[in-house]
């Protein structure tokens, strides 16, 4: 349901939003996405590995790459 609600935003501005989000969760000092010792899986792991989010962001990623080249 959340993907359906967020899909227009992701189709238009998905590439910049996703790249900022990935930089934030992979920065130095950020908690691990998966902590096997404590049996912890972050909600960020589900967002990063989601194929739905990846496919919804793809059109804006392609557009950003074309604009960057030209």
């Amino acid at each position: 349901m959340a993907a359906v609600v967020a899909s227009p935003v992701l189709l238009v501005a998905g590439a910049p939003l996703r790249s900022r989000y990935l930089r934030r969760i992979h920065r130095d000092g950020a908690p691990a996405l998966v902590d096997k010792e404590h049996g912890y899986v972050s909600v960020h792991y589900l967002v990063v590995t989601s194929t739905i989010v990846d496919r919804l962001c793809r059109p804006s990623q392609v557009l950003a790459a074309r604009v960057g080249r030209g």
Side-chain angles (χ1 to χ4, degrees):
M1 186 66 171
V4 171
V5 172
S7 63
V9 174
L10 292 176
L11 286 171
V12 173
L17 292 174
R18 189 165 192 227
S19 65
R20 266 189 253 143
Y21 181 74
L22 291 174
R23 278 195 308 266
R24 182 174 175 258
I25 62 173
H26 290 298
R27 73 185 186 280
D28 291 337
L33 296 177
V34 177
D35 186 4
K36 289 184 181 180
E37 285 183 15
H38 298 104
Y40 174 76
V41 177
S42 173
V43 69
H44 301 295
Y45 177 80
L46 300 173
V47 173
V48 171
T49 60
S50 172
T51 56
I52 294 171
V53 173
D54 182 47
R55 291 206 175 129
L56 286 173
C57 291
R58 192 162 295 160
S60 61
Q61 289 171 342
V62 170
L63 181 62
R66 286 185 183 169
V67 169
R69 281 186 279 166

Short mmCIF file of all heavy atoms in Angstrom, two decimals:
data_model
loop_
_atom_site.label_atom_id
_atom_site.label_comp_id
_atom_site.label_asym_id
_atom_site.label_seq_id
_atom_site.Cartn_x
_atom_site.Cartn_y
_atom_site.Cartn_z
N MET A 1 0.82 -1.20 0.00
CA MET A 1 0.00 0.00 0.00
C MET A 1 0.86 1.26 0.00
O MET A 1 0.56 2.21 -0.69
CB MET A 1 -0.93 -0.04 1.21
CG MET A 1 -1.91 1.07 1.25
SD MET A 1 -3.03 0.89 -0.15
CE MET A 1 -4.20 2.08 0.24
N ALA A 2 1.94 1.24 0.78
CA ALA A 2 2.82 2.41 0.85
C ALA A 2 3.48 2.69 -0.50
O ALA A 2 3.67 3.85 -0.87
CB ALA A 2 3.88 2.21 1.92
N ALA A 3 3.83 1.64 -1.23
CA ALA A 3 4.45 1.83 -2.55
C ALA A 3 3.48 2.49 -3.53
O ALA A 3 3.88 3.31 -4.34
CB ALA A 3 4.93 0.50 -3.10
N VAL A 4 2.21 2.15 -3.44
CA VAL A 4 1.20 2.75 -4.32
C VAL A 4 1.04 4.23 -3.99
O VAL A 4 0.95 5.07 -4.88
CB VAL A 4 -0.14 2.00 -4.19
CG1 VAL A 4 -1.25 2.74 -4.92
CG2 VAL A 4 0.00 0.59 -4.69
N VAL A 5 1.05 4.57 -2.73
CA VAL A 5 0.90 5.97 -2.31
C VAL A 5 2.14 6.77 -2.69
O VAL A 5 2.04 7.90 -3.16
CB VAL A 5 0.64 6.05 -0.79
CG1 VAL A 5 0.68 7.48 -0.31
CG2 VAL A 5 -0.69 5.41 -0.45
N ALA A 6 3.32 6.20 -2.53
CA ALA A 6 4.57 6.90 -2.79
C ALA A 6 5.02 6.83 -4.25
O ALA A 6 5.94 7.52 -4.63
CB ALA A 6 5.68 6.32 -1.91
N SER A 7 4.37 6.02 -5.07
CA SER A 7 4.85 5.81 -6.43
C SER A 7 4.93 7.09 -7.28
O SER A 7 5.91 7.25 -8.00
CB SER A 7 4.02 4.74 -7.14
OG SER A 7 2.69 5.14 -7.27
N PRO A 8 3.98 8.02 -7.24
CA PRO A 8 4.16 9.23 -8.05
C PRO A 8 5.40 10.03 -7.66
O PRO A 8 6.11 10.55 -8.51
CB PRO A 8 2.89 10.03 -7.78
CG PRO A 8 1.90 9.06 -7.31
CD PRO A 8 2.68 7.99 -6.60
N VAL A 9 5.68 10.12 -6.37
CA VAL A 9 6.86 10.84 -5.91
C VAL A 9 8.13 10.13 -6.36
O VAL A 9 9.08 10.76 -6.82
CB VAL A 9 6.84 10.99 -4.37
CG1 VAL A 9 8.12 11.60 -3.86
CG2 VAL A 9 5.65 11.81 -3.94
N LEU A 10 8.16 8.81 -6.24
CA LEU A 10 9.34 8.06 -6.64
C LEU A 10 9.58 8.11 -8.14
O LEU A 10 10.72 8.16 -8.59
CB LEU A 10 9.23 6.61 -6.17
CG LEU A 10 9.29 6.39 -4.66
CD1 LEU A 10 9.06 4.92 -4.34
CD2 LEU A 10 10.60 6.87 -4.09
N LEU A 11 8.52 8.11 -8.92
CA LEU A 11 8.68 8.19 -10.37
C LEU A 11 9.26 9.54 -10.81
O LEU A 11 10.03 9.61 -11.74
CB LEU A 11 7.34 7.95 -11.07
CG LEU A 11 6.85 6.50 -11.06
CD1 LEU A 11 5.43 6.43 -11.58
CD2 LEU A 11 7.75 5.60 -11.86
N VAL A 12 8.90 10.60 -10.11
CA VAL A 12 9.36 11.93 -10.49
C VAL A 12 10.70 12.28 -9.85
O VAL A 12 11.60 12.78 -10.52
CB VAL A 12 8.29 12.99 -10.09
CG1 VAL A 12 8.82 14.39 -10.31
CG2 VAL A 12 7.03 12.76 -10.87
N ALA A 13 10.86 12.00 -8.58
CA ALA A 13 12.05 12.44 -7.86
C ALA A 13 12.77 11.30 -7.16
O ALA A 13 13.47 11.50 -6.18
CB ALA A 13 11.66 13.49 -6.83
N GLY A 14 12.61 10.09 -7.64
CA GLY A 14 13.17 8.92 -6.96
C GLY A 14 14.68 8.86 -6.90
O GLY A 14 15.25 8.49 -5.89
N ALA A 15 15.36 9.23 -7.98
CA ALA A 15 16.83 9.11 -8.02
C ALA A 15 17.51 9.98 -6.96
O ALA A 15 18.32 9.49 -6.19
CB ALA A 15 17.35 9.42 -9.41
N PRO A 16 17.20 11.29 -6.89
CA PRO A 16 17.86 12.10 -5.87
C PRO A 16 17.49 11.71 -4.45
O PRO A 16 18.34 11.68 -3.56
CB PRO A 16 17.42 13.53 -6.17
CG PRO A 16 16.67 13.50 -7.42
CD PRO A 16 16.39 12.09 -7.79
N LEU A 17 16.22 11.38 -4.24
CA LEU A 17 15.79 10.98 -2.90
C LEU A 17 16.47 9.70 -2.46
O LEU A 17 16.94 9.57 -1.33
CB LEU A 17 14.27 10.81 -2.85
CG LEU A 17 13.42 12.06 -2.99
CD1 LEU A 17 11.95 11.70 -3.08
CD2 LEU A 17 13.67 12.99 -1.84
N ARG A 18 16.52 8.72 -3.36
CA ARG A 18 17.13 7.43 -3.02
C ARG A 18 18.63 7.56 -2.79
O ARG A 18 19.18 6.97 -1.87
CB ARG A 18 16.84 6.40 -4.09
CG ARG A 18 17.25 5.02 -3.67
CD ARG A 18 16.65 3.99 -4.58
NE ARG A 18 16.83 2.69 -3.98
CZ ARG A 18 17.27 1.65 -4.64
NH1 ARG A 18 17.52 1.73 -5.91
NH2 ARG A 18 17.42 0.50 -4.03
N SER A 19 19.31 8.36 -3.60
CA SER A 19 20.76 8.51 -3.41
C SER A 19 21.08 9.19 -2.08
O SER A 19 22.01 8.79 -1.38
CB SER A 19 21.38 9.28 -4.57
OG SER A 19 20.90 10.60 -4.61
N ARG A 20 20.30 10.23 -1.71
CA ARG A 20 20.50 10.86 -0.40
C ARG A 20 20.22 9.89 0.74
O ARG A 20 20.93 9.86 1.74
CB ARG A 20 19.59 12.08 -0.26
CG ARG A 20 20.27 13.35 -0.66
CD ARG A 20 19.44 14.54 -0.29
NE ARG A 20 18.91 15.02 -1.55
CZ ARG A 20 17.71 15.52 -1.73
NH1 ARG A 20 16.88 15.64 -0.73
NH2 ARG A 20 17.32 15.93 -2.90
N TYR A 21 19.18 9.11 0.59
CA TYR A 21 18.81 8.13 1.61
C TYR A 21 19.90 7.08 1.78
O TYR A 21 20.29 6.74 2.90
CB TYR A 21 17.48 7.48 1.20
CG TYR A 21 16.96 6.46 2.18
CD1 TYR A 21 16.40 6.85 3.38
CD2 TYR A 21 17.03 5.10 1.90
CE1 TYR A 21 15.90 5.93 4.27
CE2 TYR A 21 16.54 4.17 2.79
CZ TYR A 21 15.97 4.59 3.97
OH TYR A 21 15.50 3.67 4.85
N LEU A 22 20.43 6.57 0.66
CA LEU A 22 21.49 5.57 0.74
C LEU A 22 22.76 6.14 1.36
O LEU A 22 23.43 5.46 2.14
CB LEU A 22 21.79 5.00 -0.66
CG LEU A 22 20.68 4.14 -1.25
CD1 LEU A 22 21.01 3.76 -2.68
CD2 LEU A 22 20.42 2.91 -0.41
N ARG A 23 23.10 7.40 1.02
CA ARG A 23 24.27 8.03 1.66
C ARG A 23 24.07 8.14 3.17
O ARG A 23 25.00 7.94 3.95
CB ARG A 23 24.53 9.41 1.07
CG ARG A 23 25.28 9.39 -0.22
CD ARG A 23 25.82 10.77 -0.57
NE ARG A 23 24.83 11.82 -0.54
CZ ARG A 23 24.14 12.25 -1.59
NH1 ARG A 23 24.32 11.70 -2.77
NH2 ARG A 23 23.28 13.22 -1.47
N ARG A 24 22.85 8.45 3.58
CA ARG A 24 22.56 8.63 5.02
C ARG A 24 22.69 7.32 5.79
O ARG A 24 23.26 7.28 6.87
CB ARG A 24 21.16 9.19 5.19
CG ARG A 24 20.80 9.44 6.63
CD ARG A 24 19.45 10.13 6.74
NE ARG A 24 19.07 10.24 8.11
CZ ARG A 24 18.19 9.46 8.71
NH1 ARG A 24 17.59 8.52 8.02
NH2 ARG A 24 17.90 9.61 9.97
N ILE A 25 22.18 6.22 5.23
CA ILE A 25 22.21 4.98 5.99
C ILE A 25 23.54 4.26 5.88
O ILE A 25 23.82 3.37 6.68
CB ILE A 25 21.07 4.03 5.59
CG1 ILE A 25 21.16 3.62 4.14
CG2 ILE A 25 19.73 4.63 5.91
CD1 ILE A 25 20.16 2.55 3.76
N HIS A 26 24.39 4.65 4.92
CA HIS A 26 25.71 4.03 4.79
C HIS A 26 26.84 4.92 5.28
O HIS A 26 28.01 4.61 5.06
CB HIS A 26 25.97 3.63 3.33
CG HIS A 26 25.13 2.48 2.87
ND1 HIS A 26 25.20 1.23 3.43
CD2 HIS A 26 24.18 2.40 1.92
CE1 HIS A 26 24.34 0.43 2.84
NE2 HIS A 26 23.69 1.12 1.92
N ARG A 27 26.53 6.02 5.95
CA ARG A 27 27.57 6.93 6.45
C ARG A 27 28.34 6.27 7.60
O ARG A 27 27.87 5.29 8.20
CB ARG A 27 26.95 8.23 6.90
CG ARG A 27 26.17 8.11 8.20
CD ARG A 27 25.46 9.40 8.56
NE ARG A 27 24.84 9.30 9.86
CZ ARG A 27 23.68 8.72 10.12
NH1 ARG A 27 23.02 8.14 9.16
NH2 ARG A 27 23.19 8.69 11.34
N ASP A 28 29.49 6.83 7.87
CA ASP A 28 30.29 6.34 9.00
C ASP A 28 29.54 6.58 10.31
O ASP A 28 28.96 7.64 10.51
CB ASP A 28 31.63 7.06 9.06
CG ASP A 28 32.54 6.66 7.92
OD1 ASP A 28 32.33 5.57 7.36
OD2 ASP A 28 33.45 7.43 7.58
N GLY A 29 29.54 5.60 11.17
CA GLY A 29 28.88 5.71 12.45
C GLY A 29 27.41 5.35 12.44
O GLY A 29 26.76 5.36 13.49
N ALA A 30 26.86 5.04 11.29
CA ALA A 30 25.46 4.64 11.22
C ALA A 30 25.30 3.22 11.73
O ALA A 30 26.21 2.39 11.56
CB ALA A 30 24.95 4.73 9.78
N PRO A 31 24.20 2.89 12.36
CA PRO A 31 24.00 1.51 12.81
C PRO A 31 23.93 0.56 11.62
O PRO A 31 23.51 0.94 10.53
CB PRO A 31 22.67 1.56 13.56
CG PRO A 31 22.04 2.85 13.21
CD PRO A 31 23.08 3.76 12.69
N ALA A 32 24.36 -0.66 11.84
CA ALA A 32 24.36 -1.66 10.77
C ALA A 32 22.93 -2.00 10.35
O ALA A 32 22.00 -1.95 11.16
CB ALA A 32 25.07 -2.91 11.25
N LEU A 33 22.77 -2.34 9.07
CA LEU A 33 21.45 -2.73 8.59
C LEU A 33 21.03 -4.08 9.15
O LEU A 33 19.86 -4.31 9.42
CB LEU A 33 21.44 -2.78 7.07
CG LEU A 33 21.67 -1.45 6.35
CD1 LEU A 33 21.70 -1.66 4.85
CD2 LEU A 33 20.62 -0.44 6.73
N VAL A 34 21.99 -4.98 9.31
CA VAL A 34 21.73 -6.31 9.87
C VAL A 34 22.74 -6.55 10.97
O VAL A 34 23.95 -6.48 10.75
CB VAL A 34 21.86 -7.40 8.79
CG1 VAL A 34 21.65 -8.77 9.39
CG2 VAL A 34 20.89 -7.16 7.66
N ASP A 35 22.26 -6.82 12.18
CA ASP A 35 23.12 -7.14 13.32
C ASP A 35 22.80 -8.56 13.75
O ASP A 35 21.84 -8.81 14.48
CB ASP A 35 22.86 -6.14 14.45
CG ASP A 35 23.82 -6.31 15.61
OD1 ASP A 35 24.73 -7.15 15.52
OD2 ASP A 35 23.65 -5.58 16.61
N LYS A 36 23.61 -9.51 13.28
CA LYS A 36 23.34 -10.92 13.54
C LYS A 36 23.52 -11.29 15.00
O LYS A 36 22.84 -12.16 15.52
CB LYS A 36 24.24 -11.80 12.67
CG LYS A 36 23.86 -11.76 11.21
CD LYS A 36 24.70 -12.71 10.40
CE LYS A 36 24.34 -12.65 8.95
NZ LYS A 36 25.13 -13.55 8.13
N GLU A 37 24.46 -10.63 15.68
CA GLU A 37 24.69 -10.93 17.10
C GLU A 37 23.44 -10.71 17.95
O GLU A 37 23.14 -11.47 18.84
CB GLU A 37 25.82 -10.07 17.65
CG GLU A 37 27.19 -10.50 17.23
CD GLU A 37 28.26 -9.64 17.88
OE1 GLU A 37 27.96 -8.92 18.86
OE2 GLU A 37 29.40 -9.69 17.40
N HIS A 38 22.75 -9.62 17.67
CA HIS A 38 21.58 -9.27 18.47
C HIS A 38 20.26 -9.65 17.80
O HIS A 38 19.19 -9.36 18.34
CB HIS A 38 21.58 -7.76 18.76
CG HIS A 38 22.78 -7.33 19.55
ND1 HIS A 38 23.85 -6.69 18.97
CD2 HIS A 38 23.09 -7.50 20.85
CE1 HIS A 38 24.75 -6.44 19.89
NE2 HIS A 38 24.33 -6.93 21.05
N GLY A 39 20.33 -10.26 16.62
CA GLY A 39 19.12 -10.66 15.92
C GLY A 39 18.30 -9.47 15.44
O GLY A 39 17.08 -9.49 15.50
N TYR A 40 18.98 -8.44 14.98
CA TYR A 40 18.33 -7.19 14.61
C TYR A 40 18.44 -6.95 13.10
O TYR A 40 19.52 -7.04 12.52
CB TYR A 40 18.99 -6.03 15.36
CG TYR A 40 18.52 -4.66 14.96
CD1 TYR A 40 17.29 -4.19 15.40
CD2 TYR A 40 19.30 -3.84 14.17
CE1 TYR A 40 16.86 -2.92 15.04
CE2 TYR A 40 18.87 -2.58 13.81
CZ TYR A 40 17.65 -2.13 14.25
OH TYR A 40 17.22 -0.89 13.89
N VAL A 41 17.32 -6.65 12.46
CA VAL A 41 17.30 -6.25 11.06
C VAL A 41 16.60 -4.89 11.01
O VAL A 41 15.45 -4.76 11.42
CB VAL A 41 16.56 -7.26 10.17
CG1 VAL A 41 16.48 -6.77 8.74
CG2 VAL A 41 17.22 -8.62 10.24
N SER A 42 17.30 -3.90 10.50
CA SER A 42 16.76 -2.55 10.42
C SER A 42 15.69 -2.46 9.33
O SER A 42 15.74 -3.16 8.33
CB SER A 42 17.89 -1.57 10.11
OG SER A 42 17.39 -0.29 9.88
N VAL A 43 14.74 -1.56 9.51
CA VAL A 43 13.73 -1.32 8.49
C VAL A 43 14.37 -0.78 7.23
O VAL A 43 13.88 -0.98 6.12
CB VAL A 43 12.62 -0.40 9.02
CG1 VAL A 43 13.14 1.02 9.21
CG2 VAL A 43 11.43 -0.41 8.09
N HIS A 44 15.52 -0.14 7.36
CA HIS A 44 16.25 0.38 6.20
C HIS A 44 16.68 -0.75 5.27
O HIS A 44 16.75 -0.57 4.07
CB HIS A 44 17.47 1.18 6.63
CG HIS A 44 17.13 2.34 7.50
ND1 HIS A 44 16.40 3.42 7.06
CD2 HIS A 44 17.43 2.59 8.80
CE1 HIS A 44 16.26 4.28 8.04
NE2 HIS A 44 16.87 3.80 9.11
N TYR A 45 16.94 -1.92 5.81
CA TYR A 45 17.34 -3.07 5.00
C TYR A 45 16.22 -3.43 4.02
O TYR A 45 16.47 -3.73 2.86
CB TYR A 45 17.66 -4.26 5.90
CG TYR A 45 18.01 -5.51 5.13
CD1 TYR A 45 19.29 -5.67 4.60
CD2 TYR A 45 17.09 -6.52 4.93
CE1 TYR A 45 19.63 -6.81 3.89
CE2 TYR A 45 17.40 -7.66 4.22
CZ TYR A 45 18.68 -7.80 3.70
OH TYR A 45 18.99 -8.93 2.99
N LEU A 46 15.00 -3.37 4.48
CA LEU A 46 13.86 -3.70 3.62
C LEU A 46 13.69 -2.66 2.51
O LEU A 46 13.36 -3.00 1.37
CB LEU A 46 12.58 -3.80 4.44
CG LEU A 46 12.61 -4.87 5.54
CD1 LEU A 46 11.37 -4.77 6.40
CD2 LEU A 46 12.75 -6.24 4.96
N VAL A 47 13.96 -1.41 2.81
CA VAL A 47 13.86 -0.35 1.81
C VAL A 47 14.97 -0.49 0.78
O VAL A 47 14.73 -0.36 -0.42
CB VAL A 47 13.90 1.03 2.48
CG1 VAL A 47 13.96 2.14 1.44
CG2 VAL A 47 12.70 1.22 3.38
N VAL A 48 16.18 -0.76 1.22
CA VAL A 48 17.33 -0.85 0.31
C VAL A 48 17.21 -2.05 -0.61
O VAL A 48 17.56 -1.98 -1.79
CB VAL A 48 18.65 -0.92 1.12
CG1 VAL A 48 19.82 -1.25 0.24
CG2 VAL A 48 18.88 0.39 1.84
N THR A 49 16.69 -3.16 -0.12
CA THR A 49 16.63 -4.38 -0.92
C THR A 49 15.30 -4.56 -1.66
O THR A 49 15.14 -5.55 -2.37
CB THR A 49 16.87 -5.61 -0.04
OG1 THR A 49 15.88 -5.66 0.98
CG2 THR A 49 18.25 -5.58 0.57
N SER A 50 14.40 -3.63 -1.55
CA SER A 50 13.09 -3.74 -2.18
C SER A 50 13.18 -3.56 -3.69
O SER A 50 13.66 -2.53 -4.18
CB SER A 50 12.13 -2.70 -1.61
OG SER A 50 10.93 -2.68 -2.33
N THR A 51 12.70 -4.53 -4.44
CA THR A 51 12.70 -4.41 -5.90
C THR A 51 11.63 -3.43 -6.37
O THR A 51 11.78 -2.80 -7.41
CB THR A 51 12.48 -5.77 -6.57
OG1 THR A 51 11.26 -6.33 -6.10
CG2 THR A 51 13.62 -6.71 -6.30
N ILE A 52 10.57 -3.28 -5.59
CA ILE A 52 9.51 -2.33 -5.96
C ILE A 52 10.05 -0.91 -5.92
O ILE A 52 9.84 -0.14 -6.86
CB ILE A 52 8.30 -2.48 -5.01
CG1 ILE A 52 7.64 -3.84 -5.22
CG2 ILE A 52 7.29 -1.36 -5.25
CD1 ILE A 52 6.57 -4.17 -4.20
N VAL A 53 10.76 -0.56 -4.86
CA VAL A 53 11.34 0.78 -4.76
C VAL A 53 12.36 1.00 -5.88
O VAL A 53 12.40 2.06 -6.50
CB VAL A 53 11.97 1.01 -3.37
CG1 VAL A 53 12.72 2.33 -3.32
CG2 VAL A 53 10.91 0.97 -2.29
N ASP A 54 13.17 -0.01 -6.15
CA ASP A 54 14.16 0.09 -7.22
C ASP A 54 13.50 0.35 -8.57
O ASP A 54 13.91 1.21 -9.33
CB ASP A 54 15.00 -1.18 -7.27
CG ASP A 54 16.08 -1.10 -8.32
OD1 ASP A 54 16.78 -0.08 -8.37
OD2 ASP A 54 16.23 -2.07 -9.09
N ARG A 55 12.46 -0.37 -8.87
CA ARG A 55 11.78 -0.21 -10.16
C ARG A 55 11.04 1.12 -10.26
O ARG A 55 10.94 1.69 -11.33
CB ARG A 55 10.84 -1.38 -10.40
CG ARG A 55 11.63 -2.64 -10.63
CD ARG A 55 10.90 -3.65 -11.43
NE ARG A 55 11.80 -4.77 -11.69
CZ ARG A 55 11.49 -6.03 -11.46
NH1 ARG A 55 10.30 -6.32 -10.99
NH2 ARG A 55 12.35 -6.97 -11.72
N LEU A 56 10.50 1.60 -9.14
CA LEU A 56 9.81 2.89 -9.17
C LEU A 56 10.79 4.04 -9.34
O LEU A 56 10.45 5.08 -9.88
CB LEU A 56 8.98 3.08 -7.91
CG LEU A 56 7.70 2.25 -7.83
CD1 LEU A 56 7.06 2.41 -6.47
CD2 LEU A 56 6.73 2.65 -8.92
N CYS A 57 12.02 3.88 -8.87
CA CYS A 57 13.04 4.94 -8.99
C CYS A 57 13.75 4.91 -10.33
O CYS A 57 14.41 5.88 -10.70
CB CYS A 57 14.06 4.82 -7.86
SG CYS A 57 13.40 5.21 -6.24
N ARG A 58 13.66 3.83 -11.06
CA ARG A 58 14.42 3.68 -12.30
C ARG A 58 14.14 4.77 -13.34
O ARG A 58 15.09 5.28 -13.94
CB ARG A 58 14.17 2.30 -12.89
CG ARG A 58 15.13 1.99 -14.01
CD ARG A 58 15.21 0.54 -14.32
NE ARG A 58 15.76 -0.16 -13.15
CZ ARG A 58 15.62 -1.44 -12.93
NH1 ARG A 58 14.97 -2.18 -13.79
NH2 ARG A 58 16.13 -2.01 -11.87
N PRO A 59 12.88 5.18 -13.60
CA PRO A 59 12.67 6.24 -14.61
C PRO A 59 13.39 7.54 -14.29
O PRO A 59 13.99 8.16 -15.16
CB PRO A 59 11.15 6.44 -14.63
CG PRO A 59 10.60 5.16 -14.12
CD PRO A 59 11.61 4.65 -13.13
N SER A 60 13.36 7.95 -13.04
CA SER A 60 14.04 9.20 -12.69
C SER A 60 15.55 9.02 -12.69
O SER A 60 16.29 9.96 -12.95
CB SER A 60 13.55 9.74 -11.34
OG SER A 60 13.81 8.82 -10.32
N GLN A 61 16.06 7.81 -12.43
CA GLN A 61 17.50 7.56 -12.51
C GLN A 61 17.97 7.67 -13.95
O GLN A 61 19.02 8.24 -14.23
CB GLN A 61 17.84 6.18 -11.94
CG GLN A 61 17.70 6.10 -10.45
CD GLN A 61 17.83 4.67 -9.93
OE1 GLN A 61 17.70 3.71 -10.69
NE2 GLN A 61 18.07 4.54 -8.64
N VAL A 62 17.21 7.13 -14.88
CA VAL A 62 17.55 7.21 -16.30
C VAL A 62 17.53 8.66 -16.76
O VAL A 62 18.42 9.13 -17.46
CB VAL A 62 16.60 6.34 -17.15
CG1 VAL A 62 16.77 6.60 -18.63
CG2 VAL A 62 16.80 4.87 -16.82
N LEU A 63 16.51 9.40 -16.35
CA LEU A 63 16.40 10.81 -16.73
C LEU A 63 17.56 11.61 -16.14
O LEU A 63 18.16 12.44 -16.83
CB LEU A 63 15.07 11.37 -16.25
CG LEU A 63 14.80 12.82 -16.60
CD1 LEU A 63 14.77 13.00 -18.12
CD2 LEU A 63 13.51 13.28 -15.99
N ALA A 64 17.92 11.35 -14.90
CA ALA A 64 19.04 12.07 -14.27
C ALA A 64 20.35 11.75 -14.97
O ALA A 64 21.19 12.63 -15.15
CB ALA A 64 19.13 11.71 -12.79
N ALA A 65 20.53 10.52 -15.40
CA ALA A 65 21.75 10.16 -16.12
C ALA A 65 21.81 10.86 -17.48
O ALA A 65 22.89 11.32 -17.90
CB ALA A 65 21.82 8.65 -16.31
N ARG A 66 20.70 10.96 -18.17
CA ARG A 66 20.68 11.64 -19.49
C ARG A 66 20.94 13.12 -19.34
O ARG A 66 21.64 13.73 -20.14
CB ARG A 66 19.34 11.41 -20.17
CG ARG A 66 19.20 10.03 -20.71
CD ARG A 66 17.94 9.86 -21.48
NE ARG A 66 17.79 8.49 -21.92
CZ ARG A 66 16.70 7.98 -22.44
NH1 ARG A 66 15.64 8.75 -22.59
NH2 ARG A 66 16.66 6.73 -22.81
N VAL A 67 20.38 13.74 -18.32
CA VAL A 67 20.60 15.16 -18.08
C VAL A 67 22.06 15.41 -17.70
O VAL A 67 22.67 16.39 -18.11
CB VAL A 67 19.64 15.71 -17.00
CG1 VAL A 67 20.02 17.09 -16.55
CG2 VAL A 67 18.22 15.68 -17.51
N GLY A 68 22.62 14.50 -16.90
CA GLY A 68 24.01 14.64 -16.47
C GLY A 68 25.00 14.53 -17.62
O GLY A 68 26.03 15.18 -17.63
N ARG A 69 24.68 13.70 -18.60
CA ARG A 69 25.57 13.53 -19.75
C ARG A 69 25.46 14.67 -20.74
O ARG A 69 26.43 15.01 -21.39
CB ARG A 69 25.25 12.22 -20.48
CG ARG A 69 25.84 11.01 -19.82
CD ARG A 69 25.61 9.82 -20.67
NE ARG A 69 24.22 9.37 -20.42
CZ ARG A 69 23.55 8.52 -21.16
NH1 ARG A 69 24.10 8.02 -22.24
NH2 ARG A 69 22.33 8.16 -20.85
N GLY A 70 24.27 15.20 -20.89
CA GLY A 70 24.03 16.20 -21.94
C GLY A 70 24.13 17.56 -21.45
O GLY A 70 24.75 18.46 -21.53
#
